[in-house]
Every structure is written in structure tokens, then in C-alpha cells.
Amino acid sequence: QNATRRSPTDWHPGKTPASAPVTLGGASPAPAMRDEQLKMMSLLVFTFQNAAFVLLMRWSKVLDTHYNSTVAVFLTEVLKLPLSVLLLMYEKRSVSEACATLNREILGAPMDTLKISVPALLYTVQNNCLFIGLSHLDAAVAHVTYQTKILFTALFSIALLGKQLGLSQWAGLSSLVLGVISVQGILSKLLEKYAAEPARGSGMAGGGGGSPP
């Protein structure tokens, strides 16, 4: 009863009480830095993969390999399946848990699987159209025009999902549109047209102002 109560902050050098509070202010920022590095690495890998995908497809068409585009799309999806299963097993740390997840998410939810099959079918059609487009277009033109999918995704997100875009996002979409216009040669054609109109008008004015012979 005569013992005095000591606060958790009353401690002596070299001795930390068990009830001392743990402060979060001195926590190491290492996990946050690792997350940022992982995000940047994923962005760089995705950018490289996206650019190399179109360039390699165009290169394969230039070489006159005469392969079937439908077979190429089919083999691409077939190779994705085992890789996706391996990543799922790595995430779940168990083969049985990965199989149970596949059974639950695919066979156990037939309506969700049916809904997912619609964009999967459209994705297959898109890849076949991409092969056809790269057979007739330059790699740079095809690749930049292909990125207009970002613009349409943003527009449909606003129209269907009611999503709001920030100023930086609108600026990025505007840059994308200008890039597509530039690579298609539309901007240069418009500039040449507007530059030719004043010259044509001055020529007509000069011809009409002369005295008749």
C-alpha cells in the first residue's frame, strides 16, 4: 500500500520498463520505401513489356513468317494459364489452397465466371485485331494509336461508373490525344492546309488587282 505508482515514462538509462509505450513516430520507413520501389519497378517492367509486345509483333510480321495470328493468340493465352497458376500457388503458399481458390472462384461462382467471359472474349478479339493492324501499319503508329484504349477507358469510367478525374489525369489524356494526332499526321496536314490558304488568297488578290491588257 505504501508503494508509489510510477508512470511508464519513469525509467533509468539502460533499463526499459515492460509497460513503456511504443511510439510509432520512430518507426522505420523501410517497408514504405520498399513498396514505392516495387511500384516503380512494376511500372517500368509493364512499360517495357507493353512496348516490346507491339514491336516484336510488328517485327514478326515484317519477317514474312506467315504464321496464323489466331494460333499465336491461342498459344499466348495457353502459356498465361500455367504461369498464373504458379503465381497463385506462390501467393497462397500451398498447392491445395490454390486449387481450392480456383474451385471457389471459378466453379463455385458460375455467374461471375460468365460475366468475366465477356471481357475475355473481347480481349481475344482485340489481340486478333492488333495482329491484323500491325500487318498494315508502322510499329510507332500502331503502338501510339493502340494507347487510345486509355482514353476510351477513362471516358467509359466517367459515363458508366461516375468516376471523377483530376486535373493531372485530364492533362495526361490530352497529351495522349495530341500524341495520337501527331503520329497519325493529322496535325501536320492541318497545319499545311492552314498555311496554304493565306498564300492562295494572296495569289488570288494579286491576280485580280491587275489592269486588263
Side-chain angles (χ1 to χ4, degrees):
Q1 294 179 355
N2 296 330
T4 58
R5 298 179 60 185
R6 301 179 62 185
S7 63
T9 56
D10 295 337
W11 60 280
H12 298 284
K15 182 179 181 182
T16 304
S19 59
V22 178
T23 59
L24 299 178
S28 175
M33 293 179 61
R34 284 196 297 267
D35 292 340
E36 291 297 328
Q37 292 175 356
L38 182 60
K39 290 179 182 178
M40 292 301 299
M41 187 180 300
S42 301
L43 179 61
L44 293 175
V45 171
F46 178 74
T47 303
F48 174 77
Q49 179 267 334
N50 196 15
F53 175 66
V54 177
L55 293 176
L56 289 176
M57 287 175 62
R58 174 59 182 171
W59 185 44
S60 65
K61 290 297 183 180
V62 171
L63 293 177
D64 293 331
T65 51
H66 302 291
Y67 61 86
N68 195 325
S69 300
T70 305
V71 176
V73 173
F74 175 74
L75 289 178
T76 301
E77 301 305 321
V78 168
L79 291 175
K80 286 181 182 179
L81 180 60
L83 292 176
S84 300
V85 173
L86 288 175
L87 290 175
L88 180 62
M89 289 189 295
Y90 175 77
E91 179 183 354
K92 297 299 181 179
R93 305 291 182 179
S94 172
V95 177
S96 59
E97 183 65 24
C99 294
T101 302
L102 291 174
N103 184 38
R104 182 176 63 255
E105 298 293 337
I106 298 177
L107 299 179
M111 291 304 299
D112 292 340
T113 304
L114 184 61
K115 293 176 183 178
I116 294 174
S117 64
V118 176
L121 178 62
L122 295 177
Y123 182 74
T124 304
V125 175
Q126 169 192 308
N127 283 337
N128 282 280
C129 292
L130 186 59
F131 272 99
I132 296 173
L134 285 170
S135 302
H136 301 85
L137 297 173
D138 293 334
V141 175
H143 186 54
V144 176
T145 308
Y146 179 62
Q147 299 308 316
T148 53
K149 63 182 181 180
I150 302 174
L151 174 63
F152 288 105
T153 301
L155 295 178
F156 282 120
S157 298
I158 296 172
L160 301 178
L161 303 178
K163 185 178 180 181
Q164 300 295 328
L165 299 182
L167 183 60
S168 59
Q169 293 171 325
W170 280 114
L173 291 175
S174 301
S175 301
L176 175 62
V177 172
L178 291 176
V180 173
I181 293 174
S182 300
V183 78
Q184 291 286 356
I186 300 175
L187 185 61
S188 60
K189 292 178 181 178
L190 290 175
L191 292 176
E192 291 176 359
K193 178 181 178 181
Y194 286 119
E197 285 182 354
R200 189 183 303 115
S202 61
M204 293 177 61
S211 59

